[in-house]
Amino acid sequence: MTEDLRSLLTANYGFAAGDAKKVSQILKTYPPEEIYSGLKELLRSIYPAKYEGALNFIRYLYWSCDSIPGSKDEVLLQKIKDGNLIQDALSFYEEKKAYVQLDFLFTAMRNLPFELSKEKIEQYIQRYEKENPVLLPQLLNVLIDSDNAEALKARYEKLSFEAEDVEFAVRYFILETVFIDNFDKDECFKRLRNISPDKFKNTLENKIAENQKLLSLDYAYDDEVETENDEILFLITGYFEDAEKAYQKGRSLTFQEFIKEGTAKNCGF
């Protein structure tokens, strides 16, 4: 793949709504086989700018197919489907335990020319409950539509964890990520009091108070609704940053290892 094509496909992490002509020009300049090979190479990169850029290009191609001039976008999309490009990337990330890439792929899954069966997603949930539960929020979003809040809450409650320190942070992260009705979320956050580490009790109480404001009639545009300096989300961000660095050095890092190795101490855990 030429450097010019690599630069065009990654396009600073994505394409905007008015970029149809720009994408059309890429498709006119390079044959679909070359673009396909370039995307496959980028998806296997250890660097976020490359694999995220490639997924964002595919996502744009998939959702903007009707607005891109010409028919070469349809040809490339069909090649991506026939070549199982997304499945190939998913299998590669699984094998390499590339958890940051898996999280990004699961986040983008609903907007890609690829679909996982509900049975397969359930298998992933059961696997990563044990292997690396920080991936669960996006898997729940793939499994259940955002407008089915009751089903999301029910599946959330059925999750099981092997360690309380991991369970607290991941359950909190899930409640912040998936769409669960605020009344149900209030109940779920309050249950976390039973397993909250002492150092996070203030953050949890602030989140409970924030959610209760959202339940009131006068919450709109209330600056006090947003929780500042959320230590738990800071912890999650710290994990993904460290996992990315670890992968670039040839090793994997689970959330459990992140906590047990003491690397989480810098994030307040």
Side-chain angles (χ1 to χ4, degrees):
M1 175 173 49
T2 66
E3 189 59 41
D4 285 345
L5 179 57
R6 180 181 292 109
S7 177
L8 289 169
L9 291 177
T10 53
N12 295 320
Y13 286 83
F15 293 86
D19 286 340
K21 289 185 178 179
K22 186 188 298 184
V23 173
S24 177
Q25 188 58 45
I26 296 172
L27 297 172
K28 288 178 182 177
T29 306
Y30 299 93
E33 294 78 10
E34 187 173 355
I35 297 175
Y36 179 91
S37 297
L39 289 170
K40 185 172 183 177
E41 177 185 325
L42 289 168
L43 286 171
R44 292 183 172 221
S45 172
I46 63 175
Y47 299 109
K50 293 183 178 181
Y51 66 77
E52 289 184 13
L55 275 176
N56 283 330
F57 177 85
I58 296 169
R59 181 161 49 183
Y60 180 87
L61 195 70
Y62 181 54
W63 279 103
S64 303
C65 194
D66 291 340
S67 63
I68 298 172
S71 61
K72 293 191 175 182
D73 54 325
E74 297 174 8
V75 174
L76 179 57
L77 268 177
Q78 193 60 49
K79 186 167 184 62
I80 288 171
K81 293 176 184 177
D82 293 343
N84 295 313
L85 183 59
I86 306 302
Q87 178 62 66
D88 176 80
L90 178 56
S91 300
F92 180 80
Y93 298 156
E94 285 184 76
E95 178 187 349
K96 298 295 183 181
K97 296 186 176 181
Y99 297 121
V100 180
Q101 286 91 326
L102 280 169
D103 183 72
F104 189 80
L105 181 55
F106 290 144
T107 302
M109 190 66 73
R110 284 184 176 272
N111 298 309
L112 294 171
F114 175 73
E115 186 174 349
L116 286 172
S117 68
K118 289 189 179 297
E119 292 77 13
K120 186 63 176 177
I121 300 168
E122 278 289 355
Q123 290 175 16
Y124 279 126
I125 288 174
Q126 292 169 27
R127 170 181 174 176
Y128 289 116
E129 272 180 323
K130 296 179 176 61
E131 183 178 324
N132 196 6
V134 79
L135 299 180
L136 293 175
Q138 298 306 337
L139 282 168
L140 289 175
N141 276 334
V142 177
L143 177 66
I144 301 170
D145 291 336
S146 61
D147 61 355
N148 196 346
E150 289 185 9
L152 277 168
K153 179 176 181 285
R155 191 62 186 86
Y156 162 86
E157 290 180 339
K158 288 171 65 176
L159 295 172
S160 61
F161 299 85
E162 295 181 351
E164 278 194 352
D165 51 1
V166 171
E167 178 175 4
F168 170 76
V170 171
R171 284 194 181 278
Y172 185 100
F173 184 37
I174 291 171
L175 292 173
E176 283 291 271
T177 304
V178 305
F179 181 79
I180 295 175
D181 181 82
N182 283 325
F183 287 96
D184 290 331
K185 196 176 283 190
D186 181 59
E187 174 190 339
C188 293
F189 274 126
K190 287 177 179 177
R191 285 182 189 170
L192 291 183
R193 286 169 170 162
N194 298 325
I195 58 172
S196 173
D198 289 341
K199 62 186 69 180
F200 290 137
K201 287 189 182 297
N202 286 339
T203 298
L204 177 60
E205 291 305 318
N206 288 340
K207 178 56 64 176
I208 291 170
E210 171 191 315
N211 192 66
Q212 288 178 339
K213 283 187 178 182
L214 291 171
L215 296 176
S216 68
L217 295 176
D218 58 348
Y219 73 89
Y221 308 111
D222 186 346
D223 291 337
E224 296 179 3
V225 167
E226 294 186 11
T227 300
E228 295 183 1
N229 302 320
D230 192 313
E231 296 172 309
I232 304 158
L233 297 184
F234 180 63
L235 174 75
I236 300 293
T237 300
Y239 161 72
F240 280 115
E241 290 175 350
D242 281 14
E244 186 75 69
K245 293 174 185 174
Y247 185 72
Q248 291 174 2
K249 293 178 180 178
R251 61 180 289 257
S252 64
L253 179 69
T254 67
F255 189 57
Q256 300 94 306
E257 292 167 339
F258 173 70
I259 292 174
K260 289 177 182 177
E261 291 178 2
T263 47
K265 289 181 180 179
N266 294 329
C267 303
F269 208 94

